[in-house]
Amino acid sequence: MSLKHCIIHAISRDNETAPVQTQLRSDDNQPGDGVLSLYEQLRQAERRSSARQVGQFDPERSDNPFPGLLKDLKAEKISLARISQKLMEHMELALDGFHEPFNARVLFALERAMNQDILSLYWMEHDQAPHVTNELEVEWVEFIDPRQIKAAISVHVSDYEPDTDICYLSYFVSRGEKDLAGCLKDFCCFTTEINTAAETEAFLNIVDRYT
C-alpha cells in the first residue's frame, strides 16, 4: 500500500437552524507519520466493518459529480486537493437535510495498492477525554479515535467505468446514524441494485488482497 495524497477538510453545523459550513485546505497534508497512521487505522476500521456495502453510482442520478471527477483523475487532469474541494462543496449541499449539530473532519486519500488507485473519504468526529497535566490538574482534551469511524466511502478508481458490472464503490455509515446515512448515500449516489451476493464476495476478496 502506498498513500499518494491525503487532505483533510472540516464541515460543521453549529445548531439545528444554522447553515452548513466548510473549512477547506488548499493543498495536501504532508504524509508524515501522524497522517499515515491515522489513515491506516481508518482504513482498517472501514475494512473490518460488517456494515460496509458495495455497489455502484446510481446511473439515474444526473447530478452526481463523482463520474466526471473520476474521469479527470484517471486522465491525471486534476489533483486530489481539487477533487476533494469540489466534493466538499457537493457534500455541503447534501447535508442541508441533516439538521443535527455536528463538527466533523473529512479525510480524503488517494492510495495505490496492487497497481490499483483507490479514492477514499472518511468522516471523523472528535471525542473528549480527561487528561492530567504536568501541574497535576485535570483537563478535557479532544482526540480522534479511528476505531469509532462514523462513515467512509471508497472508490476503486482503476475499476471504474460508467457501464461496467463491477462493484467499484464501497459505502459505510455506522449503525445508529440513520439521518447521516441518508444524506451521505445521497451525496455519493450509492446504489446496490446491480449487486449480487457473488459480486459482493468477489469485491471483498479483491479488497482483502489489496489490504
Side-chain angles (χ1 to χ4, degrees), residues 19-114:
V20 177
Q21 297 181 318
T22 58
Q23 179 185 350
L24 306 181
R25 283 183 61 95
S26 59
D27 53 5
D28 289 3
N29 289 86
Q30 294 301 310
D33 292 341
V35 169
L36 184 59
S37 175
L38 176 61
Y39 169 67
E40 289 179 339
Q41 292 181 71
L42 290 168
R43 183 169 61 94
Q44 289 298 324
E46 177 204 4
R47 300 296 192 265
R48 292 170 179 168
S49 171
S50 60
R52 186 163 54 112
Q53 304 177 59
V54 295
Q56 292 188 349
F57 299 125
D58 187 344
E60 303 298 321
R61 291 286 300 275
S62 60
D63 59 337
N64 185 2
F66 273 90
L69 293 173
L70 290 173
K71 180 180 178 181
D72 288 344
L73 180 62
K74 292 178 73 171
E76 299 183 349
K77 294 181 178 179
I78 192 171
S79 66
L80 175 67
R82 187 61 185 135
I83 285 177
S84 68
Q85 291 162 1
K86 287 180 174 290
L87 289 177
M88 287 299 294
E89 293 170 1
H90 182 57
M91 182 182 289
E92 184 177 347
L93 297 175
L95 289 172
D96 189 56
F98 182 53
H99 297 296
E100 294 182 14
F102 61 89
N103 185 9
R105 305 294 183 267
V106 183
L107 184 149
F108 288 80
L110 184 62
E111 171 191 354
R112 185 73 172 173
M114 300 290 289

